[in-house]
Amino acid sequence: MMARRTLCGLLAVLAALALAGCASIPTSGSVMSASLPATGNETVYIEADGPTQDASPLDIARGFIRAQAVGVYDDYRVAKEFLTSARAQSWDPGTETIVYTGEPAFSALGPDGTPADTTASGAAAEYVDVSGPIALAARVDSTGQFAEESADAEQVVSMRMVREDGQWRISTSPEGTLISMPNFTSTHRRVALQFLSPDRTYLVPDVRWYPVKNLAGYVAEGLLAGPAQWLQDAVATAIPPKTALNVAGSVQIDADGQVAIDLDQTILALDATARAEMMAQFAETLYQVPQVRSVRIMSGATDLTVSPATLMRDPTAGVSVSLVKDGRLGSIRDGGFHADDAFGAITVGKVTGLAVEAADGVQRGRTAIVRVGAGALYQIRAAGVAAGATPLLKAKTVSNPSIDRHGWVWTAANGKIVAISQAGTVRPAARWLEGRSVLAVRVSRDGARVAIVSRSAQDSAEASRVDIAAVVRDDGGAPSQLVQGIVAGGGIAGAEDVTWIGEATVAVLSDGAASSDATVFEAPLGDANQAQPAVGQAKALAGDWDIRSLYVLRTDGVLMSRSATGASWRQAATGIAAVAYPG
């Protein structure tokens, strides 16, 4: 048995929705009461009542939507009571989940289009149409991928009512499930399935949402199903293809918090290294389930539990932020700026951007990239590693650089993504970015994903977005393709800069079109964004392990950090030209 532990870093409790090629959100199960089991220290109760005698069409519509909140728990038993017998058989709640805010504003119309008598008795109409708009928060596709909607997104929901046994029932309704955001987050939990970087040194998260009921089972089956389609060519897994549970639905947590995963004989062929990697994937994924304290891997009577492989996480706390001040590279210590004597003075021009290599990089953290002016990148190296400044790229404009752990420097040159190394300059294929101008690029520490801020060719703030793409590399490690993945912070307008603040969360800087101040957003992947306090004259972000690590650089050279409470920003340093964490 393997006791609970952290593998090379903090355990991030993240998540998302089952993606293409992955286990689907369940739409069936045993019929039970509407009270939900405890998922942590609390018990969540959501009640849903069936239709009352002589309920009006409007009451039936509202009751149907309320009852869907417990559908993943009671097999949609209560929700189906609002449907005709035929519709209850044909309705598929699993095609899509629409997450909404507020209350639907329904109206009822008769066959002639006039307001209908909404009582059950006395209405002569053969049918009544009920419809109205709902405010969209997010959409969850049939496999569970969460996509946040824009702030003003709406959808009209329409249903037709007919009488069945003298009572109004719904004969026509949208496929899929409608659920409010509070109910969605109460009945589901964010979890990050953990896969491997292609070189099997890092864990790479794949964020999902799963129901809290039988959460460990859905998490295990999601991991067995493999990574999301957009990530498939950028990550690896130690779990052999088509591996399955010996008995479907058999994953249970015992009274001591141990979860046993009984897999088929496919895994018996794995060597010791692969078993340790598989153990790390299952352990780091299942430890996000609140009740799990230990993980055991079986194949029938054969116990395959081993110590997990030692794998890196992206990123870990405690890394210092790097700064450029008065032409010197350094850091903040004891409340002041301290130059790094390993690096000489930067004399190639006015520094406007910075990237520093991580300790596990090609040069072991002894190299940095500076942007000079608007359109030049230079590499600077510490003494003993070919010290000095080497020109890397010149263009009309280049964005703030980012260095991946393979030694590739990423930037947007004249609005197009390029990656540079000693092997040369490449432009990873990304046709989905055609017609857009890239403003910012930031590679995740694992090197498998990249956050991209882009804007439409019309330069409309409303058309800006933050994409998380998968990085596909050739046999030599060069980035050859960027696969479009998910949008982070779908409701954020005017995005200008982005930085990672955890393995599955980014911070986004918006240009503050509605005010003179810029707005900083925390945008977890596969979840709703959260606005942070505004910052005047903000131009760049730097972050690392979570929102507490975030710095904002202003145009006047003042560096701002979060206050102890997180409710405001405080001055951390002045006269700063550029700021960056490793990566």
Side-chain angles (χ1 to χ4, degrees):
M1 179 181 77
M2 196 199 73
R4 181 172 186 148
R5 69 186 69 180
T6 300
L7 302 179
C8 306
L10 298 178
L11 178 63
V13 179
L14 309 162
L17 304 145
L19 303 168
C22 306
S24 299
I25 294 293
T27 59
S28 62
S30 58
V31 177
M32 302 181 73
S33 64
S35 62
L36 298 174
T39 60
N41 296 323
E42 77 288 344
T43 301
V44 179
Y45 292 96
I46 299 177
E47 296 183 351
D49 297 322
T52 59
Q53 184 73 17
D54 295 333
S56 72
L58 287 177
D59 289 336
I60 294 296
R62 295 176 184 129
F64 175 56
I65 290 181
R66 284 194 298 268
Q68 293 178 55
V70 296
V72 297
Y73 193 71
D74 76 344
D75 193 23
Y76 293 87
R77 175 183 59 83
V78 175
K80 289 179 180 180
E81 293 177 8
F82 293 87
L83 306 177
T84 63
S85 299
R87 183 58 181 149
Q89 292 293 322
S90 64
W91 177 51
D92 184 357
T95 58
E96 180 182 35
T97 298
I98 297 174
V99 185
Y100 66 88
T101 59
E103 290 294 330
F106 287 131
S107 60
L109 300 176
D112 58 358
T114 60
D117 179 354
T118 57
T119 60
S121 59
E126 178 185 355
Y127 62 85
V128 172
D129 287 327
V130 175
S131 65
I134 59 171
L136 295 179
R139 289 182 181 275
V140 183
D141 67 17
S142 61
T143 58
Q145 184 170 354
F146 183 106
E148 186 179 8
E149 292 283 349
S150 61
D152 57 353
E154 287 188 343
Q155 176 173 313
V156 174
V157 176
S158 299
M159 291 172 273
R160 173 160 291 185
M161 309 284 170
V162 299
R163 292 190 192 87
E164 188 171 85
D165 298 328
Q167 301 294 311
W168 289 113
R169 293 294 183 263
I170 301 168
S171 63
T172 303
S173 65
E175 301 291 356
T177 296
L178 291 165
I179 187 170
S180 69
M181 178 61 86
N183 284 338
F184 179 77
T185 55
S186 294
T187 59
H188 295 70
R189 183 179 290 273
R190 295 178 72 231
V191 178
L193 305 182
Q194 296 293 339
F195 295 99
L196 308 173
S197 60
D199 61 2
R200 287 170 144 76
T201 59
Y202 266 80
L203 288 167
V204 182
D206 183 357
V207 186
R208 315 286 181 91
W209 283 90
Y210 291 118
V212 295
K213 179 180 181 289
N214 296 331
L215 179 59
Y218 292 119
V219 166
E221 294 208 39
L223 194 58
L224 290 172
Q229 186 173 4
W230 66 276
L231 266 177
Q232 286 178 357
D233 292 332
V235 298
T237 179
I239 304 168
K242 300 181 180 180
T243 300
L245 295 170
N246 268 327
V247 179
S250 61
V251 178
Q252 300 293 330
I253 305 171
D254 68 18
D256 295 325
Q258 182 183 97
V259 58
I261 311 297
D262 184 11
L263 301 175
D264 63 28
Q265 294 184 354
T266 308
I267 62 170
L268 296 177
L270 294 177
D271 61 22
T273 298
R275 289 185 184 182
E277 292 169 346
M278 179 180 67
M279 192 74 208
Q281 288 184 252
F282 273 107
E284 288 295 275
T285 301
L286 284 162
Y287 284 157
Q288 296 168 70
V289 178
Q291 302 95 329
V292 173
R293 296 294 177 268
S294 61
V295 178
R296 188 180 183 188
I297 304 294
M298 308 286 295
S299 182
T302 305
D303 191 337
L304 298 174
T305 306
V306 296
S307 296
T310 300
L311 300 168
M312 299 287 287
R313 295 294 294 268
D314 169 19
T316 56
V319 179
S320 298
V321 68
S322 295
L323 315 169
V324 173
K325 180 176 181 177
D326 299 329
R328 295 298 304 275
L329 179 66
S331 61
I332 296 177
R333 295 201 312 272
D334 303 322
F337 175 81
H338 291 262
D340 187 341
D341 292 335
F343 291 86
I346 303 170
T347 59
V348 290
K350 182 181 179 180
V351 174
T352 57
L354 172 69
V356 293
E357 185 186 38
D360 63 339
V362 175
Q363 300 295 339
R364 297 295 183 262
R366 307 311 291 160
T367 186
I369 308 297
V370 292
R371 181 177 64 181
V372 174
L377 294 183
Y378 287 82
Q379 182 181 53
I380 59 174
R381 293 181 173 179
V385 191
T390 304
L392 282 185
L393 179 68
K394 288 189 177 181
K396 183 178 179 180
T397 61
V398 295
S399 68
N400 214 12
S402 179
I403 307 176
D404 70 29
R405 63 187 181 87
H406 303 283
W408 288 88
V409 178
W410 296 71
T411 188
N414 302 329
K416 304 297 181 183
I417 293 178
V418 298
I420 311 150
S421 80
Q422 293 180 347
T425 300
V426 299
R427 298 180 182 273
R431 289 188 177 181
W432 51 277
L433 282 173
E434 290 181 2
R436 303 188 67 82
S437 178
V438 176
L439 306 179
V441 183
R442 187 75 178 182
V443 185
S444 63
R445 190 74 62 80
D446 53 54
R449 299 160 298 148
V450 60
I452 302 167
V453 179
S454 68
R455 188 166 291 176
S456 73
Q458 288 74 28
D459 198 32
S460 166
E462 289 73 25
S464 67
R465 69 170 188 249
V466 181
D467 288 287
I468 307 300
V471 180
V472 181
R473 300 177 187 269
D474 64 20
D475 293 340
S480 59
Q481 183 182 4
L482 301 180
V483 179
Q484 186 175 16
I486 58 177
V487 174
I492 300 174
E496 289 193 332
D497 195 19
V498 65
T499 188
W500 291 90
I501 50 170
E503 63 177 8
T505 304
V506 295
V508 179
L509 181 66
S510 169
D511 62 8
S515 69
S516 58
D517 293 337
T519 303
V520 178
F521 292 88
E522 180 182 14
L525 307 190
D527 203 352
N529 68 76
Q530 297 179 350
Q532 305 298 307
V535 183
Q537 305 179 61
K539 71 172 184 177
L541 299 175
D544 198 55
W545 62 91
D546 65 15
I547 189 68
R548 294 170 296 175
S549 70
L550 192 63
Y551 285 91
V552 180
L553 181 61
R554 301 189 342 186
T555 55
D556 60 0
V558 174
L559 185 67
M560 308 294 289
S561 63
R562 283 169 56 87
S563 65
T565 63
S568 62
W569 298 92
R570 59 182 176 84
Q571 181 175 301
T574 60
I576 304 303
V579 58
Y581 279 98

